[in-house]
Amino acid sequence: MASGVKPRVKVPKTAAAGSAVTLKTLISHKMESGRRKDKQGNVIPRSIIHRFTCEFNGAMVLDVAMEPAISTNPYFEFEATVPEAGDFKFTWYDDDGSVYDTSKSIKIA
Amino acid sequence: MNKLTSTNTLVALALAGGVVFGGAALADVDGVLTINGELEIVTKTTPPAHLADNLDEIVSGWVYRAAETQELQMDDFDNPGMLFVDIAQDDWGTVEGTEGKSCATCHDNVEDSMAGVRAVYPKWNDEAEEVRTLAMQINSCRTERMGAEPLKITKGKMARMEALISVQSRGMPMNVAIDGPVQAMWEQGKEMYYTRTGQLELSCANCHEDSYGLHIRSDFLSQGQTNGFPVYRLKNAKLTTAHGRFKGCVRDTRAETYKPGSAAFNALELYVASRGNGLSVEGPSVRN
């Protein structure tokens, strides 16, 4: 299992109903591409986050397939419209089968 | 794409012609650095008394960076240096060495115990009767109290521990003592700062006192202040310590460099830190 993996998200605490908010997410992960070799010439096995999703109250906001060329600590910044108060749920899927998730609530101001 | 190409050509022409843009091409010289929308950072102020004859103003290196680099430091979520602070937070509570201690065993909560520490280092240590840099103090704790191996001065583990300690003093003014028992070492550092070295015969002052704000190739020279150290550098995507940066600078004068952690660099660190007295601690800052 990849070590030092920690998801981070930044979601505003409040938003006006129907407005778009900016969400920032980052997961610390080494994103080993599977194309590098170690000192002995052996291929270092691929170990990346291959999928990232964001859901709002169960509805899919963003579903991203990620490939080996993506750098260490993948960062996504995107906008989402907030129709009502609720929870954003962010999920990252690791090659090794681990699933990391975190949630943030947002209120209507 | 056409637009990009033509801009590059213009820059190349300007360089070939030896034109220096001065302030015009600076991103945002009058920008104000506020971190997380609440912590105000002093990036320009009057110089300390010992510098009053040499500089009109002391300026943080943040001012000389491009707008997008400046923005990275305005929000801890965007500042990649904070990732290393997070890792160091785990190191803080990790037991290492023969004594079964972690940093937290003695110093408890880093937010409280390390507040203000970064602003006054390098600092005289009465017991050891020597000037100690933050790195020396960290290693003294490790070897004497924890029974652990010292950390390598410019490596990642040291840099991130310095970052964790720095962040507790962010926004506080640099306030390094230069008199009393540290004076001799401070004078030695000053001597180094103004002495030309290397095949290019450059002193620190030639670039960072006489020429700050001007181009060095396509980059801007800063005053070489250390208030932002350790810095996250975009060029190598990791934290750089003051000694690591000194080494790079001295190398660029085409001189044999001093060793990071050497007495010479410790003296230089003390002197350079004192040139920034009054600027806010920024570490970990973001530079290119």
Side-chain angles (χ1 to χ4, degrees):
Chain A
M1 181 177 155
S3 62
V5 180
K6 186 178 163 190
R8 299 166 172 82
V9 296
K10 189 168 183 180
V11 177
K13 288 194 177 64
T14 60
S19 69
V21 295
T22 301
L23 310 175
K24 294 178 178 181
T25 74
L26 183 149
I27 187 159
S28 47
H29 194 284
K30 61 185 179 200
M31 297 293 278
E32 187 62 57
S33 70
R35 317 226 18 117
R36 299 198 305 159
K37 289 174 180 166
D38 64 16
K39 280 180 187 147
Q40 284 77 42
N42 305 315
V43 172
I44 305 170
R46 172 181 137 158
S47 170
I48 67 167
I49 300 279
H50 62 265
R51 185 181 176 211
F52 166 65
T53 63
C54 169
E55 288 163 72
F56 183 68
N57 288 348
M60 190 63 81
V61 175
L62 185 75
D63 190 345
V64 184
M66 294 161 71
E67 302 291 343
I70 292 173
S71 315
T72 307
N73 304 338
Y75 172 90
F76 285 97
E77 182 177 329
F78 53 96
E79 289 190 342
T81 307
V82 183
E84 65 208 9
D87 298 320
F88 277 106
K89 186 181 179 207
F90 306 90
T91 316
W92 291 262
Y93 298 85
D94 198 313
D95 273 352
D96 65 16
S98 309
V99 176
Y100 311 96
D101 62 51
T102 184
S103 293
K104 285 276 169 164
S105 301
I106 188 162
K107 292 196 183 85
I108 296 300
Chain B
M1 200 58 211
N2 276 335
K3 196 178 169 211
L4 263 181
T5 316
S6 63
T7 315
N8 287 343
T9 317
L10 272 180
V11 172
L13 282 175
L15 283 174
V19 178
V20 174
F21 276 108
L26 279 177
D28 191 4
V29 272
D30 298 319
V32 176
L33 174 54
T34 307
I35 297 176
N36 299 333
E38 54 184 26
L39 183 62
E40 300 226 350
I41 298 290
V42 175
T43 54
K44 288 180 178 180
T45 189
T46 50
H50 69 89
L51 265 188
D53 294 338
N54 304 43
L55 292 174
D56 295 329
E57 192 175 40
I58 52 171
V59 185
S60 162
W62 178 84
V63 171
Y64 300 103
R65 302 285 59 96
E68 57 267 33
T69 310
Q70 291 184 332
E71 277 172 24
L72 286 174
Q73 208 185 315
M74 291 179 168
D75 184 341
D76 280 349
F77 196 91
D78 296 334
N79 182 343
M82 297 307 287
L83 294 173
F84 296 91
V85 170
D86 267 2
I87 303 170
Q89 185 75 59
D90 294 338
D91 294 347
W92 184 262
T94 305
V95 172
E96 275 188 84
T98 54
E99 304 298 311
K101 289 179 179 173
S102 69
C103 304
T105 311
C106 296
H107 297 294
D108 207 12
N109 191 335
V110 66
E111 281 89 2
D112 303 323
S113 61
M114 292 297 133
V117 168
R118 170 66 172 81
V120 296
Y121 268 82
K123 184 186 170 195
W124 180 256
N125 183 301
D126 265 336
E127 266 175 54
E129 297 194 336
E130 63 180 3
V131 175
R132 281 197 176 162
T133 63
L134 199 51
M136 285 166 78
Q137 188 56 52
I138 291 167
N139 272 344
S140 147
C141 269
R142 288 183 61 87
T143 54
E144 289 161 34
R145 298 197 205 183
M146 293 165 67
E149 288 293 310
L151 300 176
K152 295 216 168 66
I153 297 288
T154 57
K155 296 289 183 187
K157 275 188 125 178
M158 176 61 88
R160 71 194 190 212
M161 183 52 71
E162 288 184 1
L164 175 67
I165 293 170
S166 292
V167 89
Q168 316 307 335
S169 306
R170 244 181 357 176
M172 297 181 189
M174 288 289 295
N175 184 21
V176 174
I178 63 171
D179 51 2
V182 310
Q183 197 183 352
M185 194 162 157
W186 182 81
E187 297 283 359
Q188 186 200 341
K190 184 177 180 182
E191 175 84 28
M192 285 176 72
Y193 193 88
Y194 287 101
T195 303
R196 288 171 181 264
T197 61
Q199 290 180 324
L200 298 184
E201 293 191 272
L202 288 169
S203 72
C204 308
N206 291 142
C207 286
H208 297 293
E209 186 171 289
D210 304 338
S211 313
Y212 64 87
L214 302 180
H215 271 112
I216 181 165
R217 301 172 74 185
S218 63
D219 198 3
F220 288 104
L221 278 167
S222 74
Q223 287 187 348
Q225 299 287 0
T226 53
N227 60 309
F229 278 86
V231 305
Y232 179 86
R233 297 195 69 190
L234 300 171
K235 69 174 255 182
N236 55 8
K238 61 184 181 186
L239 290 175
T240 301
T241 64
H243 285 209
R245 194 67 191 87
F246 288 163
K247 187 180 160 191
C249 257
V250 176
R251 180 204 59 211
D252 290 348
T253 71
R254 299 190 192 158
E256 289 274 344
T257 81
Y258 304 94
K259 236 179 120 197
S262 63
F265 269 171
N266 290 341
L268 187 62
E269 183 180 346
L270 171 65
Y271 176 69
V272 176
S274 80
R275 291 175 68 93
N277 275 352
L279 292 173
S280 302
V281 173
E282 280 177 40
S285 62
V286 185
R287 305 285 188 260
N288 50 337

